[in-house]
Amino acid sequence: MKPLQTPFFRIKEQSLQYDISLLKQSLADNWGNYIAAYSVKTNSLPWLLNYLKEQEFYAEVVSKMEYDLAVRLGFPRKHIIYNGPIKDKKTFETVLLAGGYVNLDSNYELDWMEELSRLYPNRHFKVGLRVNCDLSLLCHEEIPASQEGGRFGYCYENGVLKAALERLSALPNVWAAGLHMHTSTQSRSIQVFGALAKMAVTIAKEYALCLDYVDMGGGYFGGRDDKPDYRDYFKEICKELSAYFNPQKTILIAEPGVSLISRATTFETSVIDVKDIRNRKFVVTDGSRTNLNPLVTRHVYPHHIHYISDTSVRKTESSQWICGATCMEYDKLFEIIDDIALVPGDQIIYDTAGGYTICLNPLFINYLPAVYVEHEDGTLFTARKAWDNEEYLQKNYVEKSKRRNS
Ligand SMILES: Cc1ncc(COP(=O)(O)O)c(C=O)c1O
């Protein structure tokens, strides 16, 4: 078979299936009554969304665009979880009327609920509220994901959450039925999830809430043997939740993103050139930092190398800098120290490359790379062809150079 033109992403179905099964099994074993949802923004590749839909996943969306995409791909409207601080009013109403899940996050959404309650006096609405609580009070060693602390949801400590609940409870046909606990953390530790579950219990008790669901959000590790996995997280979460909630009555929702698709996905690149500049070796590759780390936040790129030829006859290099395909100086990925000299044709394969990459690539210099799915029998399916100017020119207009009648 002709080798595939690099760079491209590869999704191994078997590994994806492994993590899907691990998630479902962990939820089933520890709680039983659960909804597995997938965070669409993490990787909204249509093939992937369809694959997860077929496995009964709900789509967790945070924009009208994501909602439309999920619906176009066949997710039932009631299998939508609509989150985020910027909601579209029509989508908000549609999801609620269809019996989907909406987790309120902003002040204007409370106004919308009052309006909906008046407009549809004969309908019953159930909504969730995103909780904002001070994680550093619950887990002293936790470093917040942002210096200022989380900015999403209604604040528990200053009474804003309580006030939101009071506004909803004044509406005869609206039920504050869920708590959404998603909180991004640096540590992704089991303790954090235990503390968040405990917080859900505290809030439910304090405000005498009868909950249809607790949504623990995403933020788990996945695909790494040196880190906790779903079994550890849900054991801890469910231990805390069971202090107050009953699985017969309250659904446990999980909405992972990166942990579900990391193990399965690689980004595969080739060495194009090796340059000697003064005392340095720069290895030029056809992939880029913009493909893997568009937010320029990462410093570590787990990878492995396929050497094109016999390495026993190659010399060792004290330092080789792996560089990307753009003409930006910052497009350098990592340094290889005291190791086999790379030559054109060698392949650098980045592991755990599925989250916040495939769909977050900028259209900078090169467009979106191809994505191939490797089925369990080894055959390949093209889930996305590499973009070229056909895609780039869509919906663009250039002025005609001469007017016919002038
Ligand atoms: C509300 C919500 N749910 C789920 C996720 C998925 O998180 P992760 O990809 O870390 O699992 C995010 C990510 O920020 C989120 O904001």
Side-chain angles (χ1 to χ4, degrees):
M1 201 177 71
K2 222 173 95 195
L4 296 169
Q5 175 73 46
T6 53
F8 61 85
F9 287 95
R10 183 196 301 263
I11 301 177
K12 287 205 177 87
E13 188 183 2
Q14 197 169 15
S15 305
L16 179 61
Q17 199 52 58
Y18 176 86
D19 282 315
I20 291 173
S21 305
L22 195 65
L23 173 69
K24 289 187 172 179
Q25 201 57 51
S26 307
L27 288 163
D29 289 348
N30 289 290
W31 200 251
N33 187 11
Y34 72 88
I35 290 173
Y38 170 67
S39 156
V40 168
K41 68 174 162 297
T42 309
N43 182 338
S44 55
L45 183 78
W47 177 87
L48 180 65
L49 296 183
N50 185 59
Y51 191 83
L52 293 169
K53 179 200 72 188
E54 308 268 286
Q55 312 235 9
E56 325 264 86
F57 271 75
Y58 285 38
E60 186 263 331
V61 301
V62 291
S63 70
K64 175 183 180 325
M65 205 64 92
E66 285 188 350
Y67 168 77
D68 288 344
L69 177 66
V71 169
R72 272 180 76 163
L73 288 168
F75 279 88
R77 285 172 210 273
K78 62 175 197 287
H79 286 188
I80 298 287
I81 299 176
Y82 192 21
N83 286 336
I86 300 290
K87 292 201 178 70
D88 169 69
K89 197 172 183 188
K90 188 81 206 124
T91 308
F92 181 91
E93 186 177 326
T94 310
V95 174
L96 280 176
L97 288 170
Y101 291 76
V102 174
N103 289 313
L104 311 181
D105 194 303
S106 303
N107 295 317
Y108 64 85
E109 291 173 75
L110 297 167
D111 301 339
W112 289 357
M113 282 319 301
E114 285 166 353
E115 221 178 293
L116 276 183
S117 159
R118 274 197 310 277
L119 267 174
Y120 299 95
N122 299 323
R123 294 288 307 254
H124 278 91
F125 296 101
K126 67 171 193 211
V127 288
L129 289 97
R130 172 119 177 221
V131 172
N132 185 314
C133 57
D134 188 349
L135 247 192
S136 61
L137 295 178
L138 308 175
C139 300
H140 299 294
E141 64 288 354
E142 185 63 34
I143 307 161
S146 137
Q147 249 187 353
E148 299 77 25
R151 67 184 174 93
F152 300 112
Y154 303 98
C155 178
Y156 168 70
E157 289 82 11
N158 67 4
V160 168
L161 177 68
K162 181 168 183 254
L165 284 164
E166 281 168 0
R167 270 180 79 177
L168 294 177
S169 72
L171 306 173
N173 52 349
V174 175
W175 172 25
L179 292 177
H180 183 214
M181 306 304 298
H182 177 89
T183 307
S184 297
T185 65
Q186 288 195 8
S187 71
R188 295 182 182 256
S189 74
I190 299 172
Q191 291 84 326
V192 163
F193 282 92
L196 289 169
K198 208 172 180 169
M199 194 66 201
V201 169
T202 304
I203 294 169
K205 273 187 185 166
E206 192 172 330
Y207 304 129
L209 301 176
C210 165
L211 292 187
D212 181 50
Y213 68 92
V214 175
D215 183 342
M216 292 303 299
Y220 317 95
F221 275 117
R224 292 199 32 190
D225 296 333
D226 56 336
K227 298 289 181 189
D229 66 34
Y230 296 131
R231 288 169 290 203
D232 309 303
Y233 290 116
F234 291 108
K235 189 166 166 225
E236 183 67 14
I237 288 169
C238 296
K239 187 185 91 192
E240 296 296 345
L241 290 182
S242 55
Y244 185 70
F245 299 107
N246 177 352
Q248 314 262 298
K249 291 200 181 124
T250 304
I251 303 166
L252 171 58
I253 300 181
E255 42 188 54
V258 77
S259 56
L260 202 64
I261 50 169
S262 279
R263 185 194 313 267
T265 314
T266 48
F267 180 58
E268 313 202 2
T269 66
S270 301
V271 173
I272 303 298
D273 194 15
V274 180
K275 299 179 76 170
D276 284 295
I277 307 241
R278 281 172 288 283
N279 56 349
R280 295 201 181 276
K281 284 232 177 283
F282 291 108
V283 177
V284 182
T285 67
D286 56 7
S288 165
R289 195 170 168 180
T290 58
N291 300 119
L292 283 163
N293 181 21
L295 303 176
V296 199
T297 47
R298 274 169 68 179
H299 304 288
V300 180
Y301 296 89
H303 65 273
H304 59 281
I305 299 177
H306 281 174
Y307 298 97
I308 193 177
S309 57
D310 185 4
T311 53
S312 65
V313 295
R314 297 197 202 176
K315 56 181 188 166
T316 297
E317 289 294 351
S318 57
S319 164
Q320 302 176 85
W321 262 103
I322 306 303
C323 305
T326 70
C327 332
M328 304 300 282
E329 282 294 1
Y330 81 81
D331 197 1
K332 295 202 266 305
L333 291 109
F334 61 97
E335 186 183 17
I336 301 179
I337 295 170
D338 292 331
D339 216 332
I340 299 162
L342 291 170
V343 298
D346 285 342
Q347 294 208 327
I348 299 176
I349 298 170
Y350 295 91
D351 302 304
T352 60
Y356 305 101
T357 52
I358 290 186
C359 301
L360 198 52
N361 274 201
L363 298 175
F364 179 58
I365 302 180
N366 296 301
Y367 306 144
L368 307 180
V371 185
Y372 302 105
V373 175
E374 187 181 307
H375 292 310
E376 294 192 17
D377 61 5
T379 56
L380 287 184
F381 174 75
T382 306
R384 179 175 80 193
K385 286 186 177 166
W387 278 31
D388 58 26
N389 280 320
E390 280 309 306
E391 288 74 28
Y392 189 68
L393 289 167
Q394 286 177 86
K395 295 193 173 178
N396 278 270
Y397 307 95
V398 288
E399 254 185 309
K400 289 202 181 99
S401 54
K402 273 190 195 141
R403 291 229 179 111
R404 219 170 253 164
N405 296 329
S406 61

